[in-house]
Amino acid sequence: MQQFVTAILVITVGGLLAWLTGRLKSLSVVIGTGSCVGGGLLALIPATEILMSGGQAAEIVLNLPLGAATMKLDAVSAFFSLPVIVLGSLAAVYAAATSHYDKHECGGYWFFYCLLMASMLFLTASANAVLFLMAWEIMSVAAFFLIIHRDEIASARNAAWRFLVASHVGTAGLFIMFAIISAHCGSFEFACFTRTPVSAETASLVFFLALFGFGVKVGLLPLHVWMPDSYAFADAHVSAVLSGAMSKMGFYGLIRVLMFLPVHSASWGWALAFGGLLTGVFALITALAQHDLKKVIAYSSMENAGIIMMGLGCAILAGIWKVPALAFAALTGSLLHVLNHAACKGLLFLGSGAAYFGTGTRKLEAMGGLAKTMPYTAMFFGIGAAAISGLPPFNSFISEFMIFLAGLQAARLGTSSALLLAGVILAGLGLIGGLAMATFSRTFGLVFLGASRSDKKVEPRESDWLVRLPMAILVLVIFLLALLSPFILIPVARVASMIAAASGVTFTPENAMLNIQPVMIAATISFFFMLFVVLVWRLRSRFFSGGDVNDRCTWDCGFAAPDARIQYTSSSFSQPVSEVFSSIVRPYRHGEKVAGFFPERASFRTDAPDSLLRYLYVPLFGLIDRAMVPLRALQHGRLHLYICYLAIVLLALLIWKVVAA
Amino acid sequence: MISIHSVVFFILTLLLAPALPGIINKVKAFFGGKMGPPVLQLYYDIAKLMRKSAAYSQTASMVTRLAPVVIFFSTLGAALLVPFFFSEACCRFAGDVILMAYLLGIGRFFMVIAAMDRGSAFEGMGASREVLYSALAEPAFFCGLLVLINETGDLSLSGIFSGLSTELWRQNPAIMLLIAVSWMIVLLTENARIPVDDPNTHLELTMIHEVMILDYSSKDLGLIEYASALKLWLFSSLLVGLTITAGAVPSYLHIPVFMLGMCAVAVIIGCVESTIARLRLIHIPKFIVGSGALAIIALILKIAGN
């Protein structure tokens, strides 16, 4: 525990030093990176120790002016600190390696980056509502300053403000939620929350407030609108941390709250299962219509949050139905998906950043053919794309497989509600998997394959080895998570049983074996599949490629001079999907029609803003804005009148106090 | 764990799979009043392709060269998990059907990115359609499957299909028929048959599967053609296992009855292809979603019946 706190301090102090030395850019970068990596390594040791042993670290009690506050690192916190540590350190290295592209002042940027990482570690370790909310606020504010880094771009400013508003609306829900629980037990300590019995109505109120508050961070369906723009306008390494680590803190919070409430209600499970399904499908349909590389990846974060939520919902329902084997598969699967998604998403964002530095654009319509000029980045991104689509032999397949397995077990249970749940999981995950495959084959194909659509004459260059190193490590992590999954599942199962134990569900070793055995076979088959593919492919190109010619032109219906312009574009690729789901995503169409026999010029472009933003939030906030106009009379900018307001309120409170007494 | 039976049946499958498209073509030729190519034509084609050397587009990258191997092995891996001849699969475990679907999925992923690799307008067109149609077909397959799991109480494909019996058809004829029809549509979609896709069309604009492999030649094309035939065999054998049911056939008749069943599926596909035209592209999603709706109706009937 001391080591973990030291790590947090190292990162924070490193951030401060990086800020102070901001004038000397290279020194500031070295201090910032060094503190993130060093602090990360320092925190990694106690976290893995706790995960491996299953024990608990000693608590630290801080004597704050508000009262004593406990910091504690248990298996659940240690588990959720892993993505923060790994992605935070790797993204810091990446940031250092790409810092010469950034012409902005870098000291403050490093400070907020370190603050973000430190606050997330602090968040996982806080076992007190006040500490938790403090860490939560620091995390949100640090993230805001990181997103608004390129504040000369109006869209980046808008994105950051939207993030700040959404984040605070969510935090308001959390304040109310923690106030309700602590009012019941009279303390802000988490240890006290778990012991306090609450009525079923209060428990439901607490759960749905938590779902709202944490749902904003994870990107639950109507609350996701800040996500695509913020991830798109932040730098690649920041997006990687925001998506891979920060949004996972939402799940951490949600799971903590579930552990406070011993008796769960079926409505929570259904809310999570259906909410997750709708989130996943909506995210992918919208992702398929996007033309900004990073927005596609951002929407996919939302989709994966949907998958994790479906798993959690299934686990809650299984706990209520007293089917531990089913709960085990669902809970372990969704926990493992947290790690898998962090690894894939980190890799994809870092890869998208490398593609951006190579080409100078994020527009899918202006990319293409990068596999020839940036072969390593292409290979890394390709692995990430296949992995995040949940395809074997990569890591996300294993976690999705476990959630699928939960669905299959639910189908066997036989009750009507279990069949419905199985239908939601199997059909829903099947559709989500298919659409994810569509999204990422499109993205990878448009960016890295084919011929370049860019009209620039400069060839993109492969990035430096230091930029590629974090990506290579993440690829390694992906393979380890996939091939060693039966072993990795053991500590994950320990975390899962700790979560389940809070609501009175105990997992027996048989439950675990029942679910881990299929994973083991699936991982083995995947491994041999990969082995055979690589082997035969090498053999084919080494010994059976005699006489092959590599200089023919692509077959285009007999047209002998194909060029990059006749390729399928991102708009054309997504047109059939947008057509089918036209009630959900409605792309704007811009351009001039083709007219006459010898058309001179014509153009076509689509643009698909988020439907909920367009049809719900913009009208809604417009309405609120108009309704609030009269209140502007109160806000006139005269300081002495503001002080007068304060005096009036205090006086009113005093009178109320006296009268009430 | 692996019985000698299932290995023999697996090898038999690998040998027989390319004959299935031959039977379909014979049926189509019969409807057209022609002799048609021999049933073994695909064997000759693949043998010829394997002897040739390949021609690649200059736009093609490593993905184009890697994809055929991935497609071949992913289909082979999926075949390990599917029960043939009313027997056990080579490998059975809880949830093997998910691995089967996702192995076919990685084959498709590579097919699609390889199509985009050559930078052709037509191949991109096929890729864009393929990903949408296959995504829409997934829920239909899984919904049908979960009703069968509920009926048989087993989580592996071998267990599910050995647990099916004529009794089940007698008790729930509507549910079983709905699943059979929806799986037939899934089969037609996944294997690029009419009315979703026309394997023999002469216009690149209207193709889906064929257009994605336009640039392939020689051994690469041979591997892909073989994988397609094997995939057709996989889906057909699931359909045969569902309709004839393992419980209804005495064990000494397993091989002949299964072969007859496979021929029957091929004849049905041939009849469908000869009698109806390919749907217009804008109607195809409705057709596939329709199959999902049938499977969901089956599920609802099952839920209501409980």
Side-chain angles (χ1 to χ4, degrees), chain B residues 85-110:
Chain B
F85 299 96
F86 305 113
S87 167
E88 285 226 337
C90 286
C91 183
R92 66 175 282 186
F93 56 94
D96 51 6
V97 60
I98 309 297
L99 183 62
M100 182 206 108
Y102 274 74
L103 275 173
L104 293 177
I106 188 145
R108 187 179 303 124
F109 181 83
F110 268 86

Coordinates of all heavy atoms in Angstrom, one line a residue, chain B residues 85-110:
Chain B
F85 N -22.2 -36.7 -40.5 CA -22.7 -38.1 -40.6 C -23.3 -38.5 -39.3 O -23.2 -39.6 -38.8 CB -21.5 -39.1 -40.9 CG -20.9 -38.7 -42.3 CD1 -19.8 -38.0 -42.4 CD2 -21.5 -39.2 -43.4 CE1 -19.2 -37.7 -43.6 CE2 -20.9 -38.9 -44.6 CZ -19.8 -38.2 -44.7
F86 N -24.1 -37.6 -38.6 CA -24.8 -37.9 -37.4 C -23.9 -38.4 -36.3 O -24.3 -39.1 -35.4 CB -25.9 -38.9 -37.6 CG -26.9 -38.5 -38.7 CD1 -26.9 -39.2 -39.9 CD2 -27.7 -37.4 -38.6 CE1 -27.8 -38.8 -40.9 CE2 -28.5 -37.0 -39.6 CZ -28.6 -37.8 -40.7
S87 N -22.6 -38.1 -36.4 CA -21.6 -38.6 -35.4 C -21.1 -37.4 -34.6 O -21.6 -36.3 -34.7 CB -20.5 -39.3 -36.2 OG -19.5 -39.5 -35.3
E88 N -20.1 -37.7 -33.8 CA -19.5 -36.6 -33.0 C -18.5 -35.8 -33.9 O -17.9 -36.4 -34.8 CB -18.8 -37.2 -31.8 CG -19.7 -37.7 -30.7 CD -19.2 -37.2 -29.4 OE1 -18.0 -36.9 -29.3 OE2 -20.0 -37.1 -28.5
A89 N -18.3 -34.5 -33.5 CA -17.3 -33.8 -34.2 C -15.9 -34.2 -33.6 O -15.8 -34.9 -32.6 CB -17.5 -32.3 -34.0
C90 N -14.9 -33.8 -34.4 CA -13.5 -34.2 -33.9 C -13.3 -33.6 -32.5 O -12.5 -34.1 -31.7 CB -12.5 -33.6 -34.8 SG -12.4 -34.6 -36.3
C91 N -13.8 -32.4 -32.3 CA -13.6 -31.7 -31.0 C -14.9 -31.1 -30.5 O -15.6 -30.5 -31.3 CB -12.6 -30.6 -31.3 SG -12.1 -29.7 -29.9
R92 N -15.2 -31.5 -29.3 CA -16.5 -30.9 -28.8 C -16.2 -30.3 -27.4 O -15.5 -30.9 -26.6 CB -17.6 -31.9 -28.7 CG -17.3 -33.1 -27.8 CD -18.5 -34.0 -27.7 NE -19.6 -33.4 -26.9 CZ -20.7 -34.1 -26.6 NH1 -20.9 -35.3 -27.0 NH2 -21.6 -33.6 -25.8
F93 N -16.8 -29.1 -27.2 CA -16.7 -28.5 -25.8 C -17.8 -27.5 -25.7 O -18.4 -27.1 -26.8 CB -15.4 -27.9 -25.6 CG -14.9 -26.8 -26.6 CD1 -15.2 -25.5 -26.4 CD2 -14.3 -27.2 -27.7 CE1 -14.8 -24.5 -27.3 CE2 -13.9 -26.3 -28.7 CZ -14.2 -24.9 -28.4
A94 N -18.2 -27.1 -24.5 CA -19.3 -26.2 -24.4 C -18.9 -24.9 -25.1 O -17.9 -24.3 -24.9 CB -19.5 -25.9 -22.9
G95 N -19.8 -24.4 -26.0 CA -19.6 -23.2 -26.7 C -18.8 -23.3 -27.9 O -18.3 -22.3 -28.4
D96 N -18.6 -24.6 -28.4 CA -17.8 -24.7 -29.6 C -18.4 -24.0 -30.8 O -17.7 -23.6 -31.7 CB -17.5 -26.2 -29.9 CG -18.7 -27.0 -29.9 OD1 -19.8 -26.4 -29.8 OD2 -18.6 -28.2 -30.1
V97 N -19.7 -23.8 -30.8 CA -20.4 -23.2 -31.9 C -19.9 -21.7 -32.0 O -19.8 -21.2 -33.1 CB -21.9 -23.3 -31.7 CG1 -22.4 -22.6 -30.4 CG2 -22.6 -22.7 -32.9
I98 N -19.6 -21.1 -30.9 CA -19.1 -19.7 -30.9 C -17.8 -19.7 -31.7 O -17.5 -18.8 -32.5 CB -19.0 -19.1 -29.5 CG1 -20.2 -19.4 -28.7 CG2 -18.6 -17.7 -29.5 CD1 -21.4 -18.7 -29.2
L99 N -16.9 -20.6 -31.3 CA -15.6 -20.7 -32.0 C -15.8 -20.9 -33.4 O -15.1 -20.3 -34.3 CB -14.7 -21.7 -31.3 CG -13.3 -21.8 -31.9 CD1 -12.5 -20.5 -31.7 CD2 -12.5 -23.0 -31.3
M100 N -16.7 -21.8 -33.8 CA -17.0 -22.1 -35.2 C -17.4 -20.8 -35.9 O -16.8 -20.4 -37.0 CB -18.1 -23.1 -35.3 CG -18.4 -23.5 -36.7 SD -20.1 -24.1 -36.9 CE -20.8 -22.7 -37.8
A101 N -18.4 -20.1 -35.4 CA -18.9 -18.9 -36.0 C -17.8 -17.8 -36.1 O -17.7 -17.2 -37.2 CB -20.0 -18.3 -35.2
Y102 N -16.9 -17.7 -35.1 CA -15.9 -16.7 -35.1 C -14.7 -17.1 -36.0 O -14.0 -16.2 -36.5 CB -15.5 -16.2 -33.7 CG -16.5 -15.2 -33.2 CD1 -17.8 -15.5 -32.8 CD2 -16.1 -13.9 -33.2 CE1 -18.7 -14.6 -32.4 CE2 -17.0 -12.9 -32.7 CZ -18.3 -13.2 -32.4 OH -19.2 -12.3 -32.0
L103 N -14.5 -18.4 -36.1 CA -13.4 -18.8 -37.0 C -13.8 -18.4 -38.5 O -13.0 -17.9 -39.3 CB -13.1 -20.3 -36.9 CG -12.1 -20.7 -35.8 CD1 -12.1 -22.2 -35.7 CD2 -10.7 -20.1 -36.1
L104 N -15.1 -18.7 -38.8 CA -15.6 -18.3 -40.1 C -15.5 -16.8 -40.2 O -15.3 -16.2 -41.3 CB -17.0 -18.8 -40.3 CG -17.2 -20.3 -40.4 CD1 -18.7 -20.7 -40.6 CD2 -16.4 -20.8 -41.6
G105 N -15.7 -16.1 -39.1 CA -15.6 -14.7 -39.0 C -14.3 -14.1 -39.4 O -14.1 -13.2 -40.1
I106 N -13.2 -14.8 -38.9 CA -11.9 -14.2 -39.2 C -11.5 -14.5 -40.7 O -10.9 -13.7 -41.3 CB -10.7 -14.7 -38.3 CG1 -9.5 -13.9 -38.6 CG2 -10.5 -16.2 -38.3 CD1 -8.6 -13.6 -37.5
G107 N -12.1 -15.6 -41.2 CA -11.9 -15.9 -42.6 C -12.6 -14.7 -43.4 O -12.0 -14.2 -44.4
R108 N -13.7 -14.4 -43.0 CA -14.5 -13.3 -43.7 C -13.7 -12.0 -43.6 O -13.6 -11.2 -44.5 CB -15.9 -13.2 -43.1 CG -16.7 -12.3 -43.9 CD -18.1 -12.2 -43.4 NE -18.7 -13.5 -43.3 CZ -19.2 -14.0 -42.2 NH1 -19.1 -13.4 -41.0 NH2 -19.8 -15.2 -42.2
F109 N -13.2 -11.7 -42.4 CA -12.5 -10.5 -42.1 C -11.3 -10.4 -43.1 O -11.1 -9.3 -43.8 CB -11.9 -10.5 -40.7 CG -11.1 -9.2 -40.3 CD1 -11.8 -8.1 -39.9 CD2 -9.8 -9.2 -40.4 CE1 -11.1 -7.0 -39.5 CE2 -9.0 -8.1 -40.0 CZ -9.7 -7.0 -39.6
F110 N -10.6 -11.5 -43.3 CA -9.5 -11.4 -44.3 C -9.9 -11.3 -45.7 O -9.3 -10.7 -46.5 CB -8.5 -12.6 -44.0 CG -7.5 -12.3 -43.1 CD1 -7.7 -12.4 -41.7 CD2 -6.3 -11.8 -43.5 CE1 -6.7 -12.0 -40.8 CE2 -5.3 -11.4 -42.6 CZ -5.5 -11.6 -41.3

